[in-house]
Amino acid sequence: MRQPLDSKLYTTTLIDALVDARATYGDKEILEDQDRNPLTYTGLIRAAFVLGRKIAGMTQKGERVAILLPSSMGVVVTFFGLHAHGRVPVMLNFTAGEANLKAAIKASGVKKILTAKRFIQQATLDDLVAALGTVAEIVWLDDVRKTIGLKDKLYGLAAGAAPKRFAVKTDPNDPGVILFTSGSFGSPKGVMLTQQNLVANARQVAEHISLDPAWVLFNPLPTFHCFGLTAGAILPLLEGLKAFQYPSPLHAKQITDLLPQVKANLLFA
């Protein structure tokens, strides 16, 4: 087991932890999904800051903004994009049904839901999104990305070079995410985790399991649950492992075909 970490590494914001990981492990490929267009640390940081600034233009600092996406590069970029600009991600369980999702939206005070047309069409969730659109504004990330121009790209280059200068200042004890129980017993119950909670959980795993930065971690678990988010997305990014995100744990054939192709060392299931 490695030497105990400096306590300061546990008490940090998510953006600072991501930037520090780049400094520790180098600007390596760190994130990929089934589209097979991997991002390096810098690519992830640039994408997060650019998309996050677009979302910031339609929200308020500290606002809770819902994400309705499967495990993918898109959900990770969106999650960190919200943090880069001081917004709080609210992860919605798209399998929970209309009533439970509306209850979660009401409980968290969400005004906007970020999602993608491709996902909604492939998952045949058009009726669900239409219903949710009656209680919150649906923001299509596909359309947001189409508005990214040269000025945004130049901003991304600058933010990628000095992200701590460009990030909206937050505190480790500020909200990091809001997750919800499944609603099996009554309405879904919201759980707020601080940024420090999320970073510390990832660091604690790494203290007990020897993780090799050369490994590839394959995560098909949803980021609307704590394990898929903390272990499947945040942990590998902070510990230098390339994270391969896959949208469903139910696709046994596709997953087993992909594992050797992406040279996965760890599989969550």
Coordinates of all heavy atoms in Angstrom, one line a residue, residues 174-217:
D174 N -18.7 23.0 -0.9 CA -19.9 23.3 -1.7 C -20.5 22.0 -2.3 O -19.8 21.0 -2.4 CB -19.5 24.3 -2.8 CG -19.3 25.7 -2.3 OD1 -19.7 26.0 -1.2 OD2 -18.6 26.5 -3.0
P175 N -21.8 22.1 -2.7 CA -22.4 20.9 -3.3 C -21.6 20.4 -4.5 O -21.2 21.2 -5.4 CB -23.8 21.4 -3.7 CG -24.1 22.5 -2.8 CD -22.7 23.2 -2.6
G176 N -21.4 19.1 -4.6 CA -20.7 18.4 -5.7 C -21.7 17.8 -6.6 O -21.5 17.7 -7.9
V177 N -22.8 17.2 -6.1 CA -23.8 16.5 -6.9 C -25.0 16.3 -6.1 O -24.9 16.2 -4.8 CB -23.2 15.2 -7.5 CG1 -23.1 14.1 -6.4 CG2 -24.1 14.7 -8.6
I178 N -26.2 16.2 -6.7 CA -27.4 15.7 -6.1 C -27.8 14.4 -6.8 O -28.0 14.4 -8.0 CB -28.5 16.7 -6.1 CG1 -28.1 17.9 -5.3 CG2 -29.8 16.1 -5.6 CD1 -29.1 19.0 -5.3
L179 N -27.9 13.3 -6.0 CA -28.3 12.0 -6.6 C -29.7 11.7 -5.9 O -30.1 12.3 -4.9 CB -27.3 10.9 -6.2 CG -25.9 11.1 -6.8 CD1 -24.9 10.1 -6.2 CD2 -25.9 11.1 -8.3
F180 N -30.4 10.7 -6.5 CA -31.7 10.3 -5.9 C -31.8 8.8 -5.8 O -31.2 8.0 -6.6 CB -32.8 10.8 -6.9 CG -33.0 12.3 -6.8 CD1 -32.4 13.2 -7.6 CD2 -33.9 12.8 -5.9 CE1 -32.5 14.5 -7.5 CE2 -34.1 14.2 -5.8 CZ -33.4 15.0 -6.6
T181 N -32.5 8.4 -4.7 CA -32.8 7.0 -4.6 C -33.8 6.6 -5.7 O -34.4 7.5 -6.3 CB -33.5 6.8 -3.2 OG1 -34.7 7.5 -3.1 CG2 -32.5 7.2 -2.1
S182 N -34.0 5.3 -5.8 CA -34.8 4.8 -6.9 C -36.3 5.2 -6.8 O -37.1 5.1 -7.8 CB -34.7 3.3 -7.0 OG -35.1 2.7 -5.9
G183 N -36.8 5.5 -5.6 CA -38.2 5.7 -5.4 C -39.0 4.5 -5.3 O -40.2 4.5 -5.4
S184 N -38.4 3.3 -4.9 CA -39.1 2.1 -4.7 C -40.0 2.2 -3.6 O -41.1 1.5 -3.5 CB -38.1 1.0 -4.5 OG -37.2 0.8 -5.5
F185 N -39.7 3.0 -2.6 CA -40.5 3.2 -1.4 C -40.9 4.6 -1.3 O -40.2 5.4 -0.7 CB -39.8 2.7 -0.1 CG -39.4 1.2 -0.2 CD1 -38.1 0.9 -0.6 CD2 -40.3 0.2 0.1 CE1 -37.8 -0.5 -0.7 CE2 -39.9 -1.1 0.0 CZ -38.7 -1.5 -0.4
G186 N -42.0 5.0 -1.9 CA -42.4 6.4 -1.9 C -41.6 7.2 -2.9 O -40.9 6.7 -3.8
S187 N -41.6 8.6 -2.8 CA -41.0 9.4 -3.8 C -39.4 9.3 -3.6 O -38.9 9.0 -2.5 CB -41.4 10.9 -3.5 OG -42.7 11.1 -3.8
P188 N -38.7 9.5 -4.7 CA -37.2 9.5 -4.6 C -36.7 10.5 -3.6 O -37.2 11.6 -3.4 CB -36.8 9.9 -6.0 CG -37.9 9.6 -6.9 CD -39.1 9.8 -6.1
K189 N -35.7 10.1 -2.8 CA -35.1 10.9 -1.8 C -33.8 11.4 -2.3 O -32.9 10.7 -2.8 CB -34.9 10.1 -0.5 CG -36.3 9.7 0.1 CD -36.1 8.7 1.2 CE -37.5 8.3 1.7 NZ -38.3 7.6 0.7
G190 N -33.6 12.8 -2.2 CA -32.4 13.4 -2.7 C -31.2 13.3 -1.7 O -31.4 13.3 -0.5
V191 N -30.0 13.1 -2.3 CA -28.8 13.0 -1.5 C -27.8 14.0 -2.0 O -27.4 13.9 -3.2 CB -28.2 11.5 -1.5 CG1 -27.0 11.5 -0.6 CG2 -29.3 10.5 -1.0
M192 N -27.4 14.9 -1.2 CA -26.4 15.9 -1.7 C -25.1 15.5 -1.2 O -24.9 15.3 0.0 CB -26.8 17.3 -1.2 CG -26.0 18.4 -1.8 SD -24.4 18.7 -1.2 CE -24.8 19.5 0.4
L193 N -24.1 15.4 -2.1 CA -22.7 15.1 -1.7 C -21.9 16.4 -2.0 O -22.1 17.0 -3.1 CB -22.2 13.9 -2.5 CG -22.9 12.6 -2.2 CD1 -22.4 11.5 -3.2 CD2 -22.7 12.1 -0.8
T194 N -21.0 16.7 -1.1 CA -20.1 17.9 -1.4 C -19.0 17.4 -2.4 O -18.8 16.2 -2.6 CB -19.5 18.4 -0.1 OG1 -18.6 17.4 0.4 CG2 -20.5 18.7 0.9
Q195 N -18.3 18.4 -2.9 CA -17.2 18.1 -3.8 C -16.1 17.3 -3.0 O -15.5 16.4 -3.5 CB -16.6 19.4 -4.3 CG -17.5 20.2 -5.2 CD -16.9 21.4 -5.9 OE1 -15.8 21.2 -6.5 NE2 -17.4 22.6 -5.8
Q196 N -15.9 17.7 -1.7 CA -15.0 17.0 -0.9 C -15.4 15.6 -0.7 O -14.5 14.7 -0.6 CB -14.9 17.8 0.5 CG -13.9 17.1 1.4 CD -13.7 18.0 2.7 OE1 -13.7 19.2 2.6 NE2 -13.7 17.3 3.8
N197 N -16.7 15.3 -0.5 CA -17.2 13.9 -0.4 C -16.7 13.1 -1.6 O -16.2 12.0 -1.4 CB -18.7 13.9 -0.3 CG -19.3 14.4 0.9 OD1 -20.4 14.9 0.9 ND2 -18.6 14.3 2.1
L198 N -17.0 13.6 -2.8 CA -16.7 12.9 -4.0 C -15.2 12.6 -4.2 O -14.7 11.5 -4.5 CB -17.2 13.6 -5.2 CG -18.8 13.7 -5.2 CD1 -19.2 14.7 -6.3 CD2 -19.4 12.4 -5.5
V199 N -14.4 13.7 -4.0 CA -12.9 13.5 -4.1 C -12.4 12.6 -3.0 O -11.6 11.7 -3.4 CB -12.2 14.9 -4.0 CG1 -10.7 14.7 -3.9 CG2 -12.6 15.8 -5.1
A200 N -12.8 12.7 -1.8 CA -12.3 11.9 -0.7 C -12.7 10.4 -1.0 O -11.9 9.5 -0.7 CB -12.9 12.3 0.6
N201 N -13.9 10.1 -1.4 CA -14.3 8.7 -1.7 C -13.4 8.1 -2.8 O -13.0 7.0 -2.6 CB -15.8 8.7 -2.2 CG -16.8 8.8 -1.1 OD1 -16.4 8.7 0.1 ND2 -18.0 9.1 -1.4
A202 N -13.1 8.9 -3.8 CA -12.2 8.3 -4.8 C -10.8 8.1 -4.3 O -10.2 7.1 -4.5 CB -12.1 9.3 -6.0
R203 N -10.3 9.1 -3.5 CA -8.9 8.9 -2.9 C -8.9 7.7 -2.0 O -7.9 7.0 -1.9 CB -8.6 10.2 -2.1 CG -8.6 11.5 -2.9 CD -7.5 11.6 -3.8 NE -7.3 13.0 -4.3 CZ -6.8 13.3 -5.5 NH1 -6.4 12.4 -6.3 NH2 -6.7 14.6 -5.8
Q204 N -10.0 7.5 -1.2 CA -10.0 6.4 -0.2 C -10.0 5.0 -0.9 O -9.3 4.1 -0.4 CB -11.2 6.5 0.7 CG -11.1 7.7 1.7 CD -12.4 8.2 2.2 OE1 -13.5 7.7 1.8 NE2 -12.4 9.1 3.1
V205 N -10.6 4.9 -2.0 CA -10.6 3.7 -2.8 C -9.1 3.4 -3.2 O -8.6 2.3 -3.1 CB -11.5 3.8 -4.1 CG1 -11.2 2.6 -5.0 CG2 -12.9 3.8 -3.6
A206 N -8.5 4.5 -3.7 CA -7.1 4.3 -4.2 C -6.1 4.0 -3.1 O -5.1 3.4 -3.3 CB -6.7 5.6 -4.9
E207 N -6.5 4.3 -1.9 CA -5.6 4.0 -0.7 C -5.7 2.5 -0.4 O -4.7 2.0 0.1 CB -6.1 4.8 0.5 CG -5.6 6.2 0.6 CD -4.1 6.3 0.7 OE1 -3.6 6.0 1.8 OE2 -3.4 6.6 -0.3
H208 N -6.8 1.9 -0.7 CA -7.0 0.5 -0.4 C -6.8 -0.5 -1.5 O -6.6 -1.7 -1.3 CB -8.3 0.3 0.2 CG -8.5 0.9 1.6 ND1 -8.0 0.4 2.7 CD2 -9.0 2.1 1.9 CE1 -8.3 1.2 3.8 NE2 -8.9 2.3 3.3
I209 N -6.8 0.0 -2.8 CA -6.6 -0.8 -3.9 C -5.5 -0.2 -4.8 O -5.5 0.9 -5.1 CB -7.9 -0.9 -4.8 CG1 -9.1 -1.5 -3.9 CG2 -7.7 -1.8 -6.0 CD1 -10.4 -1.4 -4.6
S210 N -4.5 -1.1 -5.1 CA -3.4 -0.6 -5.9 C -3.8 -0.4 -7.4 O -3.9 -1.4 -8.1 CB -2.2 -1.5 -5.8 OG -1.7 -1.6 -4.4
L211 N -4.1 0.8 -7.8 CA -4.5 1.0 -9.1 C -3.3 1.5 -10.0 O -2.6 2.4 -9.6 CB -5.6 2.1 -9.1 CG -6.9 1.8 -8.3 CD1 -7.8 3.0 -8.2 CD2 -7.6 0.7 -9.0
D212 N -3.2 0.9 -11.1 CA -2.1 1.2 -12.0 C -2.6 2.2 -13.1 O -3.5 2.0 -13.8 CB -1.6 -0.1 -12.7 CG -0.4 0.1 -13.5 OD1 -0.1 1.3 -14.0 OD2 0.4 -0.9 -13.8
P213 N -1.9 3.4 -13.2 CA -2.4 4.4 -14.2 C -2.3 3.9 -15.6 O -2.9 4.5 -16.5 CB -1.4 5.5 -13.9 CG -0.9 5.4 -12.5 CD -0.9 3.9 -12.3
A214 N -1.6 2.8 -15.8 CA -1.6 2.2 -17.2 C -2.8 1.4 -17.5 O -3.0 1.0 -18.7 CB -0.3 1.3 -17.4
W215 N -3.7 1.2 -16.5 CA -4.9 0.4 -16.7 C -6.0 1.1 -17.4 O -6.0 2.4 -17.4 CB -5.4 -0.2 -15.4 CG -4.6 -1.2 -14.8 CD1 -3.5 -1.9 -15.3 CD2 -4.7 -1.7 -13.4 NE1 -3.0 -2.8 -14.4 CE2 -3.7 -2.7 -13.3 CE3 -5.6 -1.4 -12.4 CZ2 -3.6 -3.4 -12.1 CZ3 -5.5 -2.1 -11.2 CH2 -4.5 -3.1 -11.1
V216 N -6.9 0.4 -18.0 CA -8.1 0.9 -18.6 C -9.3 0.4 -17.8 O -9.4 -0.8 -17.5 CB -8.3 0.5 -20.1 CG1 -9.7 1.0 -20.6 CG2 -7.2 1.1 -20.9
L217 N -10.1 1.3 -17.3 CA -11.3 0.9 -16.5 C -12.6 1.0 -17.4 O -12.8 2.1 -18.0 CB -11.4 1.8 -15.3 CG -12.5 1.5 -14.2 CD1 -12.1 2.0 -12.9 CD2 -13.9 2.1 -14.6

